[in-house]
Amino acid sequence: MTTTPIRVAVTGAAGQIGYALLPRIAAGGMFGPDQPVILHMIEIPAEKPMEALRGVAMELEDCAFPLLQDMVCTSDLDEGFADVDWALLVGAKPRGPGMERNDLIKENGPIFTGQGKAIAKNAKGSCRTVVVGNPCNTNALIAAANAEGMPNTQFTAMTRLDENRAKAQLAAKAGVHHTQVTNMTIWGNHSATQYPDFENAKIGGKRATDVVTDRGWLEGEFIKTVQQRGAAIIKARGLSSALSAANGLVDHVHDLVTPTPPGDWRSVALCSDGSYGVPEGLISSFPVSVDAKGECKIVTGISLTDFGQEKIAASVAELEHERSVIADLLG
Ligand code: NAD
Ligand code: LMR
């Protein structure tokens, strides 16, 4: 194999999401069937997680994935992020029943100061960082702020899982396959205030609101189901989503390295440039498209009703509040 391998760091590699994610990356799900990868698997420096990580590495070895060229297992951030092309920051505490994701902010936020610094110091200058550990938007803000010298455009947080959830709910209501649902934006925060924008979504190329005409369901149950899906999974499983989260992350990165189908877009939480009235610098979810050169841009010109604008404003207010809570971590 002559193609240069892509080095991918995954923190929390011995956790639930890590277990579902690593084989997908090693099997080519993220970067394609011809692209070799080297996995940098990072865990906390304690005996139990490092022992579990060794077990995961043994299993990956036993899969004999043709694309997996090498593995690094470490708790040392300098080693873990050395020369990586992608840093996938999954490692963080998940919430339990009855908690909101931003209840984790004080405990998880500090993780991302050291990781942001270590990425800036050790990773390739072009390294792209994706934050999954919750609350992921604000943790991405912390990582970006601490990665001195690295453009904040290289930091994103994952709302692709929410997009997939919203597509599945709309498709089920319309009685079509979920691939028929396009142009689905998640606006704002990966939290219970996120706004899955049914007004601009399409089903089979038609406006979703012309296909699903039950406005009460769209404004009520649909939005609530998407906003509360993470909590519903925690209630049912006793653990937070893992296989769908890993799948969302595979989709998120794949979307960022693949041109977006013409006319469609994806949901990505990225650093606001002030578009749609979202204050500059907040990591908020937007409709995004990637061109043939790999350039990622917020899709402009989407019209928002008063209903949509109010929903987005509520989520953005929450992001501003989260930012004020962790202001001391922003370097
Ligand atoms: P988990 O508890 O199963 O695994 C987390 C792993 O991270 C553990 O192995 C732990 O040792 C490790 N870890 C903790 N701190 C670390 C650090 N500083 N460096 C490296 N590793 C560290 O949790 P999980 O189910 O895999 O979830 C991980 C995070 O992802 C949680 O915060 C969860 O809320 C979040 N999550 C986000 C989304 C999303 O859509 N953005 C979806 C699902 C879960
Ligand atoms: C999810 O959306 O499933 C994750 O963010 C986990 C959670 O806490 O809900």
Side-chain angles (χ1 to χ4, degrees), residues 56-77:
V56 174
M58 282 191 255
E59 286 207 67
L60 285 167
E61 205 174 11
D62 296 347
C63 292
F65 288 116
L67 294 171
L68 183 57
Q69 282 224 336
D70 203 358
M71 288 181 271
V72 176
C73 291
T74 187
S75 59
D76 179 286
L77 294 185

Side-chain angles (χ1 to χ4, degrees), residues 94-95 101 134 161-162 165 190 229-231 233-234 240-241 245:
R95 66 173 162 157
R101 296 177 185 95
N134 277 321
L161 170 57
D162 308 287
R165 288 169 172 167
H190 172 65
R229 190 64 160 190
I233 289 165
I234 291 170
S240 71
S241 67

Side-chain angles (χ1 to χ4, degrees), residues 10-19 42-45 48-50 52 74-75 77 89-95 101 104 108 110-112 115 131-137 139 157-162 165 190 234 237 239-242 244-246 248:
V10 177
T11 67
Q16 286 202 88
I17 296 175
Y19 195 70
I42 303 173
E43 261 297 339
I44 43 177
K48 237 176 148 183
M50 285 310 291
T74 187
S75 59
L77 294 185
L89 307 186
V90 177
K93 193 175 169 184
R95 66 173 162 157
R101 296 177 185 95
L104 298 164
N108 283 345
I111 294 173
F112 298 88
Q115 291 184 355
V131 179
V132 172
N134 277 321
C136 61
N137 298 54
N139 288 337
M158 183 174 91
T159 48
R160 182 56 200 263
L161 170 57
D162 308 287
R165 288 169 172 167
H190 172 65
I234 291 170
R237 254 171 47 88
L239 288 168
S240 71
S241 67
S244 58

